């Protein structure tokens, strides 16, 4: 549990009393605070992990002093506090608002990074670690949105301190998106929908040619073409696979470890 000081408890009490409509006589102790003090107290809450109280003070700051650097910084701090509070949707909304209001702000790169991170963690959250569900089996929408956001960061701010990490996350997401296509192709193949399996496998190969999942995508093509009796296309796919993956485990019956590739990674 986060350590909260007596000073912070007093501020919490002031916030609660100030927000109580049934007690109009109660005075909001923060009413006379200037922007600097509101920001300082909110940062104290942030450092103590009291994100809900920090958000309240940041919102008070922006409402009372809507212009100037403290208000702008409060907006991005709210996005971070929402992210740390486990509210990715609110964090994304706050980051979007900051980007819209301040597209050329020195911290705009951080807003993009935070938005991408919130979407990334929302799609690859804690529950995924406890379930045995392959990342490729999940809705790829979040992964695609995270990839697009990190892509905007890298494109707009190539010299940003966050660009390198964003690029690494993009590579991970490319692998995830490719694996999703292969998962769908595998699903169709097992149910006898060989044409659909071929289409999804081709999508994975053409869209994500460098992803690890391209190996299995080629294997699905070979098996699907073979089952359909399309020997010429089967041989073409087999030739491409042997050239690019000469030691593929699929030539020996497939992977021996049942864990999905992303857990092995």
């Amino acid at each position: 549990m986060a350590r909260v000081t007596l000073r912070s408890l007093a501020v919490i009490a002031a916030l609660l009393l100030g927000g109580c409509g049934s007690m109009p006589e109660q005075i909001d102790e923060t009413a006379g605070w200037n922007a600097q003090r509101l920001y300082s107290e909110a940062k104290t809450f942030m450092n103590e992990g009291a994100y809900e109280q920090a958000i309240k003070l940041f919102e008070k700051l922006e409402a009372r002093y809507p212009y100037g650097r403290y208000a702008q910084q409060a907006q991005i701090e709210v996005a971070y506090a929402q992210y740390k509070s486990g509210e990715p949707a609110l964090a994304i909304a706050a980051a979007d608002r900051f980007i819209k209001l301040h597209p050329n702000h020195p911290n705009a790169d951080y807003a993009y990074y935070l938005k991408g991170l919130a979407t990334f963690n929302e799609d690859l959250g804690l529950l995924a670690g406890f379930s045995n569900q392959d990342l490729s089996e999940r809705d790829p929408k979040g992964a695609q949105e995270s990839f697009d956001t990190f892509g905007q960061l890298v494109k707009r701010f190539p010299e940003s301190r966050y660009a390198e990490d964003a690029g690494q996350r993009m590579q991970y997401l490319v692998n995830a998106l490719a694996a999703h296509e292969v998962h769908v192709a595998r699903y169709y193949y097992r149910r006898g929908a060989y044409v659909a399996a071929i289409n999804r496998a081709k999508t994975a190969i053409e869209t994500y040619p460098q992803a690890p999942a391209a190996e299995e995508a080629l294997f699905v093509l070979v098996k699907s073409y073979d089952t359909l009796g399309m020997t010429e296309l089967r041989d073409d796919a087999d030739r491409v696979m042997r050239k690019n993956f000469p030691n593929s485990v699929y030539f020996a019956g497939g992977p021996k470890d049942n864990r999905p590739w992303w857990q092995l990674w």
Side-chain angles (χ1 to χ4, degrees):
M1 181 178 294
R3 174 177 169 271
V4 180
T5 64
L6 292 176
R7 180 187 182 190
S8 298
L9 290 174
V11 177
I12 293 174
L15 290 171
L16 293 175
L17 292 174
C20 184
S22 61
M23 301 178 66
E25 294 83 6
Q26 296 294 336
I27 299 175
D28 182 358
E29 293 187 9
T30 70
W33 294 4
N34 59 23
Q36 183 177 3
R37 184 174 180 187
L38 281 168
Y39 183 81
S40 177
E41 295 289 349
K43 286 293 288 183
T44 299
F45 279 129
M46 290 274 279
N47 294 334
E48 294 171 350
Y51 300 111
E52 183 177 353
Q53 287 72 35
I55 290 170
K56 289 180 180 179
L57 283 183
F58 284 131
E59 290 175 344
K60 281 179 178 286
L61 190 163
E62 187 182 0
R64 295 177 190 173
Y65 307 97
Y67 307 106
R69 62 186 183 91
Y70 283 112
Q72 293 178 1
Q73 189 63 29
Q75 292 167 7
I76 195 65
E77 296 284 6
V78 166
Y80 177 74
Q82 297 286 14
Y83 168 68
K84 294 295 289 183
S85 297
E87 298 288 350
L90 295 177
I92 292 167
D96 276 334
R97 178 171 178 262
F98 182 87
I99 292 168
K100 182 177 180 180
L101 293 174
H102 316 288
N104 299 315
H105 193 279
N107 290 333
D109 60 335
Y110 175 68
Y112 278 105
Y113 179 73
L114 188 58
K115 178 185 174 182
L117 200 62
T119 313
F120 183 89
N121 286 350
E122 184 178 32
D123 190 60
L124 317 174
L126 181 63
L127 293 179
F130 292 104
S131 70
N132 196 35
Q133 185 184 35
D134 189 330
L135 174 60
S136 65
E137 299 174 23
R138 307 179 70 188
D139 186 349
K141 180 181 178 181
Q144 185 65 59
E145 290 178 352
S146 183
F147 179 86
D148 292 342
T149 301
F150 285 133
Q152 288 179 291
L153 166 58
V154 172
K155 182 178 180 180
R156 289 197 58 195
F157 308 97
E159 303 301 322
S160 169
R161 59 186 292 191
Y162 307 106
E164 181 179 357
D165 184 71
Q168 292 175 353
R169 292 177 185 274
M170 287 176 69
Q171 183 59 56
Y172 177 79
L173 290 165
V174 163
N175 295 340
L177 291 167
H180 173 76
E181 294 296 330
V182 175
H183 169 76
V184 175
R186 190 190 315 123
Y187 172 87
Y188 284 137
Y189 177 82
R190 289 173 177 172
R191 282 153 183 78
Y194 303 115
V195 174
I198 290 170
N199 289 335
R200 295 308 286 260
K202 289 174 67 176
T203 297
I205 295 168
E206 293 169 0
T207 309
Y208 313 104
Q210 303 302 320
E215 178 182 358
E216 187 178 358
L218 281 167
F219 182 70
V220 172
L221 279 183
V222 173
K223 296 290 291 183
S224 297
Y225 284 137
D226 183 62
T227 305
L228 291 173
M230 305 172 74
T231 56
E232 185 175 347
L233 291 174
R234 176 202 64 194
D235 293 344
D236 287 343
D238 182 71
R239 184 164 49 253
V240 172
M241 183 172 179
R242 291 183 183 278
K243 180 178 180 180
N244 289 275
F245 305 99
N247 300 315
S248 174
V249 294
Y250 294 99
F251 294 139
K256 303 304 181 184
D257 195 312
N258 292 324
R259 288 179 297 167
W261 68 267
W262 64 273
Q263 287 186 352
L264 295 175
W265 182 88

